[in-house]
Amino acid sequence: MIPFMTKDFLLETSMAKRLFFDYAEHMPIFDYHCHLSAKEIYEDNVFDSLGSLWLDGDHYKWRIMRAAGIPEKYITGSAPIYDKMMAFAKTLPLAIGNPIYHWSHLELQRYFGITVPFDERTAPSIMEKADNLIKEKQLSPRKMIVCSHVKTLCTTEDPTVDFTYHERLAKQFSDCKVLPAWRPDKALKINETDFIGYLAQLEVKSHIKIKSYGDLLNALENRMDDFALHGCIASDHDINRPIYIGVDEASVESLFQKRLQGNLLTEDEYHAYRSALLLHLAKSYHKRNWAMELHVGCNRNQNHRMTRLLGESTGFDSTGDYEVAEGVGAFLDALASQAELPKAILFSLNPKDNWILASLANTFQGTEIPSKIQLGAAWWMQDHKYGMEQQLIALSSSGLLGTFIGMLTDSRSFLSYSRHEYFRRILCNFIGNLVENGEYPMSENLGKLVENICYNNATYYFKI
């Protein structure tokens, strides 16, 4: 029997171990999509406790606690953090096979040197040791970023963001580039109840009155210019159901005016508006050499009662089941036909879409950069061992694994960089097995290929 999570964790062959320890382990991290706060990074306050690091805002852990029947009081409620952690300690041993079990113990090992499993019996002593280390080492956001060897991270930001903290970090935090990534979802979701109020916020930030669709485009272009000045290299879109409906600008204007008058658009009108605006934005990304990240297949806020009680992003989203080939393909084709297709990274929350998106990516490649259109890493509810392996199989079977830009955290936690190690171990095991099985030759290029996937490909792709 192999001991629990030793240094060879997930590495099944001698080649996998060699690739990880000689090449992957020490590579820097480029986290091109996360939800960390630039304000928290700038303020750099010492963390309160392991409990706050683990449970504040982490809907991954909240979901498994709910699955264990833990009352909400001990998840997002008013219970003391010690009691919440004891509730989590009761839950975690049940999560056999779940990546949260692996992530949590990697975090304990890498950041606190704790190797014993976390459960109700060990939780008090583990919390005491971790909390003492946090105070002793004065662990803070910047220290966690530096010790994780993160060289660049992109925080997901709305067009109305205030760049104060990004500007301060650019001057005072030389160890890591903290760049804003553009996420204009609120401008695309025209039927949301707060859409008109959002336009008012956008007016303030852009200094442009928005009375027409053309005004909206000008306001967004104004803000993209500001994002570019602050180092933006990527956009991010929550597409959910990818339907593309081509429509002329005059028709889009009439749809925009309909919404300004307080009327909701029909489903077809909604998709026509979103298609037109997304097409315009993508052309702007091409002009600016930004990468366009498209996230499809997520059903947001499925549990309406709990979402009303706790708000969005509290653990009540689920995997969607949509047809993606026609909509994504038509959208990419509309851009390619005008020679304005930007770099694009295609993600889906549904693993059935891996093969479709991998195939689409290779239909629209260009000569500007290797693998201009990427099949994104296993994302969110798929970033477990099986999901990562399935993504690697689809990518390597359909395209070029050697040009893959690798992992991202998509996280709000400063401990989540252990997920890069998790991915790198799985990657090295995947490649190591191919070599051991005689499916790829043993060569001097293997190490470089691994280093590229871990870090170098992303820096080249995003032009850092």
Side-chain angles (χ1 to χ4, degrees):
M1 182 179 70
I2 299 174
F4 173 65
M5 289 186 67
T6 65
K7 67 181 183 66
D8 294 337
F9 174 57
L10 297 177
L11 304 172
E12 300 172 333
T13 64
S14 59
M15 178 54 64
K17 295 170 188 177
R18 177 180 173 186
L19 292 175
F20 179 75
F21 292 114
D22 290 354
Y23 301 100
E25 183 178 28
H26 303 295
M27 290 302 291
I29 289 174
F30 188 142
D31 196 16
Y32 55 89
H33 175 78
C34 76
H35 297 276
L36 295 177
S37 163
K39 180 176 185 290
E40 288 184 30
I41 297 171
Y42 171 74
E43 292 177 343
D44 204 32
N45 293 319
V46 175
F47 297 115
D48 294 330
S49 64
L50 175 64
S52 61
L53 269 171
W54 261 5
L55 297 182
D56 287 355
D58 191 340
H59 49 76
Y60 283 90
K61 294 184 176 70
W62 296 349
R63 285 171 69 92
I64 65 167
M65 292 174 75
R66 291 176 186 132
I70 302 295
E72 197 65 33
K73 173 183 177 181
Y74 299 100
I75 303 173
T76 61
S78 59
I81 192 64
Y82 181 88
D83 294 345
K84 290 182 177 181
M85 282 289 281
M86 291 307 297
F88 181 59
K90 179 180 179 181
T91 300
L92 192 60
L94 305 175
I96 183 170
N98 193 302
I100 297 171
Y101 195 86
H102 293 153
W103 297 343
S104 299
H105 287 96
L106 278 176
E107 290 164 5
L108 288 176
Q109 290 182 12
R110 297 298 173 264
Y111 297 109
F112 303 104
I114 297 171
T115 58
V116 298
F118 186 82
D119 55 34
E120 286 185 278
R121 180 182 59 84
T122 62
S125 61
I126 287 176
M127 284 190 282
E128 181 180 11
K129 180 176 180 179
D131 290 352
N132 287 337
L133 282 171
I134 288 171
K135 293 174 185 176
E136 177 186 331
K137 296 185 177 181
Q138 292 289 286
L139 293 182
S140 63
R142 295 195 213 178
K143 285 188 177 180
M144 299 300 280
I145 289 169
V146 171
C147 74
S148 300
H149 208 191
V150 184
K151 292 301 182 183
T152 306
L153 65 87
C154 298
T155 63
T156 302
E157 307 291 354
D158 183 83
T160 60
V161 67
D162 184 334
F163 288 115
T164 298
Y165 297 105
H166 288 90
E167 291 170 351
R168 291 175 180 175
L169 285 167
K171 295 177 181 177
Q172 300 178 21
F173 188 37
S174 60
D175 294 298
C176 176
K177 293 180 184 293
V178 180
L179 307 177
W182 167 266
R183 182 160 181 161
D185 286 351
K186 291 183 178 180
L188 287 150
K189 296 179 179 179
I190 192 170
N191 273 349
E192 294 294 314
T193 55
D194 61 350
F195 179 74
I196 304 301
Y198 177 72
L199 293 182
Q201 298 174 39
L202 187 56
E203 286 182 339
V204 172
K205 295 302 294 185
S206 65
H207 307 289
I208 294 174
K209 281 289 184 183
I210 303 175
K211 300 301 182 184
S212 67
Y213 178 65
D215 292 338
L216 173 64
L217 298 183
N218 289 335
L220 292 171
E221 289 288 343
N222 173 284
R223 294 303 292 156
M224 278 190 277
D225 288 342
D226 209 2
F227 269 70
L229 288 174
H230 288 86
C232 181
I233 53 175
S235 67
D236 175 32
H237 295 277
D238 171 22
I239 298 301
N240 190 12
R241 186 181 181 189
I243 295 177
Y244 180 76
I245 299 176
V247 62
D248 60 72
E249 192 161 318
S251 298
V252 186
E253 182 64 62
S254 67
L255 297 177
F256 190 76
Q257 292 301 325
K258 177 180 178 179
R259 186 67 183 92
L260 287 186
Q261 293 164 16
N263 301 308
L264 296 180
L265 306 189
T266 67
E267 184 175 356
D268 282 350
E269 288 174 336
Y270 169 79
H271 287 295
Y273 165 82
R274 189 178 70 169
S275 297
L277 181 51
L278 192 57
L279 191 72
H280 175 90
L281 291 170
K283 293 177 180 179
S284 294
Y285 307 153
H286 178 262
K287 179 176 64 177
R288 293 174 168 83
N289 198 26
W290 291 0
M292 174 177 62
E293 300 175 23
L294 297 179
H295 292 83
V296 303
C298 176
N299 283 341
R300 303 277 176 178
N301 308 318
Q302 288 290 91
N303 188 330
H304 291 86
R305 173 180 170 274
M306 292 304 293
T307 301
R308 284 194 297 271
L309 287 172
L310 302 178
E312 297 185 353
S313 298
T314 51
F316 301 102
D317 304 331
S318 65
T319 301
D321 188 18
Y322 303 113
E323 297 297 326
V324 303
E326 183 176 355
V328 176
F331 174 62
L332 297 178
D333 185 55
L335 292 163
S337 66
Q338 300 177 47
E340 294 183 279
L341 176 62
K343 296 177 291 188
I345 312 167
L346 311 178
F347 301 88
S348 178
L349 202 56
N350 195 323
K352 75 174 180 61
D353 299 331
N354 279 339
W355 295 94
I356 296 169
L357 295 180
S359 175
L360 275 173
N362 287 326
T363 306
F364 292 98
Q365 300 294 8
T367 58
E368 307 96 309
I369 189 170
S371 295
K372 173 181 175 179
I373 314 299
Q374 292 265 334
L375 174 64
W379 167 52
W380 195 352
M381 297 176 193
Q382 301 304 320
D383 57 5
H384 42 70
K385 177 175 177 282
Y386 180 72
M388 290 182 188
E389 288 173 343
Q390 290 301 106
Q391 189 269 352
L392 291 172
I393 290 170
L395 174 56
S396 61
S397 299
S398 303
L400 296 178
L401 179 58
T403 56
F404 181 36
I405 60 174
M407 189 57 179
L408 70 167
T409 60
D410 188 32
S411 174
R412 294 167 174 80
S413 169
F414 288 97
L415 288 176
S416 64
Y417 288 106
S418 61
R419 298 180 197 178
H420 278 262
E421 177 184 343
Y422 188 66
F423 164 78
R424 290 175 181 185
R425 287 176 177 271
I426 292 167
L427 170 71
C428 290
N429 194 61
F430 178 79
I431 295 174
N433 282 337
L434 292 177
V435 176
E436 294 279 355
N437 292 337
E439 298 177 61
Y440 193 87
M442 171 63 189
S443 71
E444 296 179 358
N445 294 329
L446 271 174
K448 186 62 176 178
L449 184 144
V450 167
E451 290 178 340
N452 288 345
I453 296 171
C454 291
Y455 180 74
N456 296 330
N457 287 346
T459 62
Y460 184 70
Y461 186 83
F462 290 101
K463 300 300 181 185
I464 290 295

